[in-house]
Amino acid sequence: MISLFDRTGVMCRPFLKCGVSTLQVDVHHGPGLRIAEKSPSGAIMYTYGGCVTDWYECWDTLSLVHNKGDVVLLAAFPPCTDLANSGARWWKAKAKKNPNFQEQALSLVVWSKFVAEGLGCPYFIENPMGRISTMWRKPDYIFHPHHYTRYCSDDNYTKKTGIWAGNGFRMPEPWKDERLPPSDDRVHKTPGGP
């Protein structure tokens, strides 16, 4: 399982727990390919420190132990700061510094699709609603985290999010914990930052 733009490994942990080796690619990991963790089953969590556009270097290194037919899913979480509607108030100032800032951000989204298509595995690209829909295409799925609170009750909040998917990926049906209070809008009230 490959997770692009993944600093935390949250997406990879359930796969690792089930015995599936994972790869996180993010600029915030140390340079190059590393083994971050091993599961009792022998599955390995790899991290690769670099941009997803360094993909060929990363894959060449990893292909010593895996081939592209081994990949069961690619998940991508490209940076949303230049594309999500929540950042629209800064777009004008960003455009003054770099008129192509959104095209550059969108190129990481499209690159994620390119990598997944090359691997031939199911994939999804996640991003809050924003410019991807108008600059590229409409999402295949739209959800809010509170739709899936039976998996994680801490996700009882609204955040309209798109999923652009392919190669047979199917979004799971909502699984809401009806015992929880109504969802809140905490994400919209959280100050920006890391």
Side-chain angles (χ1 to χ4, degrees):
M1 183 272 173
I2 297 172
S3 190
L4 304 179
F5 309 98
D6 185 346
R7 184 178 188 176
T8 67
V10 169
M11 182 69 199
C12 295
R13 294 228 176 270
F15 288 87
L16 189 67
K17 187 177 178 182
C18 292
V20 176
S21 290
T22 64
L23 169 65
Q24 297 165 243
V25 180
D26 193 279
V27 295
H28 295 96
H29 296 300
L33 186 69
R34 291 192 163 88
I35 294 176
E37 192 175 324
K38 291 184 180 181
S39 75
S41 69
I44 298 170
M45 179 186 285
Y46 296 95
T47 60
Y48 180 80
C51 183
V52 296
T53 57
D54 299 334
W55 174 253
Y56 293 110
E57 177 185 324
C58 174
W59 186 255
D60 283 347
T61 306
L62 191 66
S63 66
L64 298 173
V65 291
H66 295 286
N67 64 56
K68 76 179 194 174
D70 293 337
V71 181
V72 297
L73 176 70
L74 182 136
F77 307 92
C80 62
T81 54
D82 293 336
L83 297 169
N85 288 335
S86 58
R89 61 184 166 190
W90 295 288
W91 290 349
K92 189 174 182 180
K94 287 181 177 185
K96 283 184 179 178
K97 292 180 183 175
N98 176 4
N100 298 317
F101 79 101
Q102 287 187 317
E103 288 79 6
Q104 289 172 348
L106 184 66
S107 73
L108 297 175
V109 173
V110 176
W111 183 260
S112 300
K113 179 185 184 294
F114 175 77
V115 169
E117 293 287 344
L119 293 170
C121 63
Y123 71 90
F124 71 84
I125 302 165
E126 179 270 356
N127 225 258
M129 295 307 292
R131 295 282 293 151
I132 296 174
S133 297
T134 55
M135 292 177 71
W136 184 36
R137 68 177 182 84
K138 302 285 185 209
D140 298 291
Y141 304 96
I142 296 173
F143 74 98
H144 287 276
H146 70 84
H147 294 158
Y148 296 94
T149 50
R150 292 280 299 269
Y151 293 108
C152 180
S153 61
D154 291 342
D155 288 345
N156 195 24
Y157 60 91
T158 59
K159 181 183 176 189
K160 192 174 182 182
T161 304
I163 296 286
W164 291 262
N167 290 347
F169 175 84
R170 288 191 337 246
M171 186 78 170
E173 291 295 321
W175 200 32
K176 190 172 174 71
D177 186 343
E178 300 299 340
R179 299 169 298 176
L180 294 173
S183 57
D184 60 56
D185 62 348
R186 72 186 87 151
V187 171
H188 304 288
K189 296 175 181 170
T190 302

